[in-house]
Amino acid sequence: MKKMKKWECNLEFAKRYVSEKALQELLSYLSKDPVTHMERLLGLGKLLARREEHRRNVAVVENAIASNQAMRRLAEGLLKDTHPNVRHRLLYNWFINSTLLGIPLQRRLSEKKGFNVPYLILVDPTSACNLRCEGCWAGAYAMHDELEYERLDSLCSEAKELGIYWIVMSGGEPFLYPRLFDLAAKHSDMAFMLYTNGTRIDDRVADRIVEVGNLSPAFSLEGWEERTDRRRGPGVFKKVVAAMDRLRERGAVFGVSLTATRENVEEITSDGFVDFLVEKGARYGWIFHYIPIGRNPNPDLMLTPEQRAYMATRVPAVRRNKPIMLADFWNDGELTQGCIAGGRRYFHVTASGAVQPCAFVHFSTHDIYHHSLEEVLRSPLFTAFQKRQPFCGDHLRPCPIIDVPSALREIMTESGAKPTHDGAGDVLKEKVGEHLDRRAAAWAAAVAEVRSRQAVKTGS
């Protein structure tokens, strides 16, 4: 019997529960009357879910939409204001292919093959960028690297064979990659999210984003215009706002990427700024804590323990009260059960092809030009990473860079990983390494105090 392609297997799997025609009709109903038919989509999610945890997650979303006005506004806006092509491709690919079908396949193959299959891959298609932002985490890479299209294409195919249908892109500037839209069109069953500076999204590019349907940009901002332009260059903020307007008018789905520093943490989490993002049409946001890596690393820009504690309460409050889904990668460790890097839930491929555990851990033992995806996932670096996860019993301290730097040193020694650019090894030693040790100790003390207050409050 002829071997079935992976997309055919997924389609057959879905058809056991509901036909493709019924899925598309349901999405059509949602676009016309989302308030009435939203519950049907959630019911479908529970029907398709093969893992009990996914059924529970759908039930949590269902309850949140029913009980929380902000969450309902977000869900209704996504379904009502999104262009049909984007809704049928991006939302379908992420909700059905990547999550409900992809994750169970990942888990089955992880058990069968003896290595962990992650949920997504972060890829830098190019290191080229038209900006030179101060402190850029990727600013120390060579500026001329670019992944061969054929290898990036085959990487997507390998990923789907393992149940991975979500590719995140960074750089460099992803919209400078010449064949970006060719890749998205060829892998129309995958969802792509792109971290972008936003300056390349003119009318033509905005039209293409809606045309392919499965791309979602996440715009990088530092806060309001003065702070954004100070780091990114004059006029950048206005260009980002114009790009947001173009995408909102066309019905694209987009978000934001915010780097929290000692200088801007209250600005980017303020009611006024968050309301501005919602007004412009952003549906989600990723908040990264500044890590001293890349171009001109500056440890003094890192969040203080007090600021990090503020973030731990402020971001959940935003999620409860604003129609935008914000994620705080470090303080949301309790939701992810610790660090997600090192192939546990994701890993990073640079524009040179080097494979790293994380966008901020610039060390490698393998590359995608000399190794298959399966070989990468079996690498000694990922093995050393995963056997130590979680790095701390308290998930408010999930990160081996800023929370448990001793673990990062052990991993690099054990795996033999090498820095991927000059200066990358400074996080392990000297001034930067010593600063990280002090900051990790200060945050550990702050977390202990938080837990003590919680224990007193609950009477335990």
Side-chain angles (χ1 to χ4, degrees):
M1 190 172 94
K2 183 179 178 181
K3 185 177 180 181
M4 296 180 69
K5 296 180 180 179
K6 185 56 59 182
W7 69 267
E8 293 174 324
C9 293
N10 278 351
L11 185 57
E12 287 301 314
F13 180 54
K15 281 183 175 179
R16 296 179 210 162
Y17 300 93
V18 60
S19 69
E20 178 71 13
K21 180 179 179 181
L23 285 170
Q24 296 301 331
E25 286 181 352
L26 179 57
L27 291 171
S28 176
Y29 293 151
L30 288 167
S31 68
K32 298 172 184 175
D33 191 355
V35 175
T36 301
H37 297 288
M38 191 186 306
E39 287 74 13
R40 295 190 183 183
L41 179 62
L42 294 168
L44 173 65
K46 286 189 285 190
L47 185 65
L48 283 172
R50 297 297 293 160
R51 295 173 63 86
E52 180 58 34
E53 65 185 90
H54 289 159
R55 285 189 284 271
R56 289 197 301 268
N57 290 342
V58 173
V60 168
V61 172
E62 190 174 35
N63 180 65
I65 290 174
S67 61
N68 185 290
Q69 187 60 32
M71 178 65 76
R72 189 167 189 87
R73 281 178 59 199
L74 174 60
E76 289 179 4
L78 268 173
L79 296 169
K80 183 170 57 177
D81 299 330
T82 300
H83 188 281
N85 195 47
V86 178
R87 187 172 56 246
H88 289 197
R89 290 186 183 274
L90 181 67
L91 299 185
Y92 179 88
N93 290 350
W94 185 83
F95 184 62
I96 301 295
N97 288 347
S98 179
T99 303
L100 295 183
L101 299 179
I103 291 178
L105 179 58
Q106 294 161 20
R107 296 294 169 263
R108 290 198 301 273
L109 291 176
S110 294
E111 295 175 4
K112 178 180 178 181
K113 292 178 175 290
F115 60 82
N116 189 71
V117 179
Y119 183 41
L120 65 92
I121 304 174
L122 171 64
V123 180
D124 302 340
T126 178
S127 62
C129 188
N130 58 319
L131 302 182
R132 284 188 61 81
C133 304
E134 182 62 28
C136 175
W137 65 269
Y141 291 126
M143 296 297 290
H144 58 270
D145 288 333
E146 183 174 287
L147 288 176
E148 296 175 1
Y149 175 79
E150 291 74 18
R151 183 61 187 104
L152 187 50
D153 173 29
S154 64
L155 180 67
C156 289
S157 297
E158 288 180 83
K160 287 187 286 187
E161 290 178 0
L162 294 176
I164 304 170
Y165 284 82
W166 188 9
I167 300 293
V168 178
M169 289 186 171
S170 187
E173 170 51 50
F175 284 98
L176 288 175
Y177 189 65
R179 300 191 64 183
L180 173 65
F181 290 105
D182 291 342
L183 185 77
K186 180 171 183 179
H187 296 278
S188 60
D189 53 351
M190 302 185 85
F192 293 85
M193 194 202 78
L194 287 69
Y195 292 114
T196 175
N197 63 41
T199 62
R200 307 290 295 186
I201 301 180
D202 54 17
D203 286 332
R204 181 188 65 83
V205 172
D207 288 340
R208 291 295 307 278
I209 289 172
V210 173
E211 179 185 343
V212 295
N214 58 341
L215 289 178
S216 178
F219 295 99
S220 296
L221 289 170
E222 313 307 318
W224 294 109
E225 182 173 10
E226 188 277 332
R227 197 177 299 278
T228 294
D229 286 2
R230 186 195 312 167
R231 184 186 185 203
R232 297 183 170 271
V236 170
F237 183 84
K238 283 186 170 64
K239 290 180 180 179
V240 171
V241 171
M244 288 178 166
D245 290 340
R246 291 187 183 98
L247 295 183
R248 186 187 68 253
E249 291 163 1
R250 288 166 172 79
V253 173
F254 64 88
V256 293
S257 171
L258 309 170
T259 300
T261 72
R262 189 172 190 161
E263 298 176 347
N264 75 347
V265 59
E266 292 186 4
E267 182 173 322
I268 62 174
T269 57
S270 67
D271 284 338
F273 187 69
V274 174
D275 289 342
F276 162 77
L277 297 177
V278 171
E279 177 188 348
K280 286 299 167 184
R283 304 299 187 184
Y284 60 87
W286 306 109
I287 300 180
F288 298 89
H289 297 197
Y290 174 77
I291 303 293
I293 190 74
R295 180 183 295 125
N296 302 325
N298 181 2
D300 290 335
L301 285 177
M302 294 180 66
L303 296 176
T304 66
E306 294 76 16
Q307 289 174 324
R308 189 165 170 183
Y310 158 79
M311 288 272 287
T313 58
R314 175 58 185 164
V315 173
V318 171
R319 286 197 288 252
R320 289 192 300 270
N321 296 290
K322 307 289 185 183
I324 183 171
M325 184 54 62
L326 284 185
D328 177 346
F329 272 108
W330 282 261
N331 287 339
D332 280 338
E334 291 183 301
L335 298 178
T336 60
Q337 299 299 294
C339 171
I340 64 173
R344 176 175 172 250
R345 293 292 177 266
Y346 98 103
F347 65 91
H348 178 218
V349 180
T350 72
S352 69
V355 176
Q356 301 178 162
C358 169
F360 304 103
V361 178
H362 294 183
F363 295 82
S364 180
T365 59
H366 283 57
D367 70 82
I368 62 170
Y369 287 114
H370 297 92
H371 303 95
S372 68
L373 179 54
E374 289 201 12
E375 289 172 330
V376 163
L377 295 175
R378 296 181 188 273
S379 72
L381 180 53
F382 287 6
T383 299
F385 230 82
Q386 290 170 27
K387 81 178 186 179
R388 290 172 172 82
Q389 289 170 320
F391 295 103
C392 178
D394 193 313
H395 292 319
L396 278 176
R397 299 173 54 209
C399 180
I401 312 172
I402 65 173
D403 296 326
V404 194
S406 59
L408 187 61
R409 296 185 183 102
E410 292 175 1
I411 290 168
M412 297 311 143
T413 299
E414 179 179 314
S415 66
K418 303 300 181 185
T420 52
H421 61 75
D422 291 341
D426 289 349
V427 297
L428 305 178
K429 58 186 180 181
E430 299 173 350
K431 180 181 178 181
V432 175
E434 292 170 0
H435 186 96
L436 292 176
D437 284 334
R438 292 193 298 272
R439 185 53 55 84
W443 177 238
V447 170
E449 185 176 342
V450 169
R451 297 307 190 196
S452 177
R453 289 198 302 266
Q454 290 175 339
V456 170
K457 186 175 181 180
T458 59
S460 59

